[in-house]
Amino acid sequence: MSTNLATQLREGTKKAHTMAENVGFVKCFLKGVVEKNSYRKLVANLYFVYSAMEEEMERHRQHPVLSKLYFPQLNRQKSLEQDLHYYYGANWREQVAPSAAGKDYVQRIRDVSASEPELLVAHCYTRYLGDLSGGQILKKIAQRAMNLSEGEGTAFYEFKDIADEKAFKVEYRQALDELPIDDATAERIVDEANAAFGMNMNLFNELEGNLIKAIGQMLFNTLTRRRSGGSTELATAE
Ligand code: HEM
């Protein structure tokens, strides 16, 4: 049995992808406007999301459908831990907690895993194919914007166990097409992928207020950076 699930997912989430690219936080990121405190909060949420997703995929590694999409070389939990260590310090575990949107996203992954585990395919697709697509560009942006040296805070973007990300994407899409599912399940997976895009947008939207405040502060600092001479001090009295 085979479907064209990879194409269905790509076509069926196009609008959601465009919407995600147009979220304020994402647009700012692409323009190099990244602020460490907002960024590390996103990394913390992603840590909870990937930990849940990877734990559930591990739980179902013998599942007739999910076993065909079991690629632990994609796992991001460890790399997110490294990045959190960088951004928060050695006691990062005591400092991070999922936000409201982060909790909803994690809960959705747990619920789907318990009630209809095939839908985890949608969650893996939405995150991993996105990560494999934009990784190196986003890494460079983050490095430049936050003044990071190589190897600092960007482990998330590095797939150390994947030699050729482009080739791996081809393999992953083929695996999607070969999943033993019927058309109705494929449709539900596409719906769930759209929901996953929505949950990612919620994560970004939550950080917008934070970022706007930080941009305001940055602008204020720029405008007031130089101490200018006082008008009456400089002027010679006539
Ligand atoms: C920062 C804004 C973003 C940019 C510039 C961007 C860019 C891209 C690009 C260039 C591709 C490759 C398309 C191809 O293979 O031909 C892609 C694919 C993808 N992106 Fe994004 N992306 C962004 C945000 C996101 C977000 C927020 C998500 C979801 C969390 C996401 C999920 C995906 C997925 C799932 C694919 C694979 C599509 C497919 O071929 O089925 N992207 N993206």
Side-chain angles (χ1 to χ4, degrees):
M1 193 162 27
S2 77
T3 60
N4 60 345
L5 180 62
T7 306
Q8 285 186 56
L9 278 166
R10 190 186 171 93
E11 294 299 316
T13 59
K14 259 186 180 164
K15 283 211 172 84
H17 192 280
T18 305
M19 268 153 59
E21 282 178 88
N22 281 291
V23 168
F25 183 86
V26 175
K27 280 190 137 169
C28 284
F29 190 93
L30 290 177
K31 292 189 175 125
V33 179
V34 186
E35 184 258 332
K36 250 185 193 159
N37 197 43
S38 307
Y39 182 74
R40 70 181 191 171
K41 284 186 177 170
L42 176 64
V43 175
N45 272 317
L46 291 177
Y47 165 71
F48 292 104
V49 167
Y50 280 86
S51 298
M53 196 162 79
E54 288 163 11
E55 190 188 341
E56 298 307 328
M57 285 301 281
E58 193 65 40
R59 189 192 311 283
H60 294 294
R61 59 185 292 182
Q62 312 287 1
H63 184 281
V65 175
L66 297 174
S67 59
K68 305 278 196 299
L69 208 66
Y70 182 74
F71 294 111
Q73 60 268 52
L74 285 169
N75 286 359
R76 304 285 79 207
Q77 184 185 22
K78 289 279 167 337
S79 55
L80 286 160
E81 285 177 2
Q82 281 176 38
D83 288 347
L84 288 172
H85 187 283
Y86 172 76
Y87 290 109
Y88 287 93
N91 68 341
W92 63 270
R93 278 186 200 276
E94 287 122 65
Q95 296 188 63
V96 301
S99 65
K103 278 184 197 154
D104 286 350
Y105 196 162
V106 167
Q107 192 55 48
R108 176 74 167 231
I109 290 169
R110 302 286 187 206
D111 289 348
V112 154
S113 176
S115 63
E116 203 174 349
E118 307 83 69
L119 299 191
L120 284 173
V121 168
H123 289 277
C124 293
Y125 162 79
T126 303
R127 285 299 337 179
Y128 293 129
L129 268 200
D131 297 339
L132 288 168
S133 302
Q136 290 316 299
I137 295 167
L138 299 180
K139 178 186 163 185
K140 286 214 176 78
I141 293 175
Q143 281 177 328
R144 202 168 313 151
M146 292 184 285
N147 251 320
L148 306 170
S149 304
E150 184 57 42
E152 282 182 351
T154 52
F156 176 66
Y157 301 111
E158 303 286 351
F159 288 91
K160 291 227 152 52
D161 299 327
I162 295 173
D164 179 346
E165 291 170 18
K166 238 182 168 168
F168 188 84
K169 263 168 66 171
V170 173
E171 199 186 318
Y172 197 87
R173 286 205 179 93
Q174 200 167 334
L176 285 169
D177 285 346
E178 286 166 7
L179 294 179
I181 54 168
D182 57 21
D183 289 346
T185 306
E187 213 171 288
R188 285 204 297 284
I189 290 173
V190 175
D191 288 347
E192 187 65 19
N194 278 302
F197 268 89
M199 284 179 273
N200 280 280
M201 277 188 263
N202 291 345
L203 289 186
F204 302 137
N205 279 330
E206 252 180 359
L207 293 169
E208 203 170 282
N210 241 309
L211 183 63
I212 291 169
K213 265 196 212 149
I215 292 173
Q217 186 67 49
M218 283 182 218
L219 178 60
F220 182 81
N221 291 347
T222 306
L223 292 172
T224 58
R225 190 158 43 208
R226 286 197 304 131
R227 184 177 182 278
S228 45
S231 303
T232 55
E233 255 190 296
L234 291 177
T236 44
E238 279 176 26

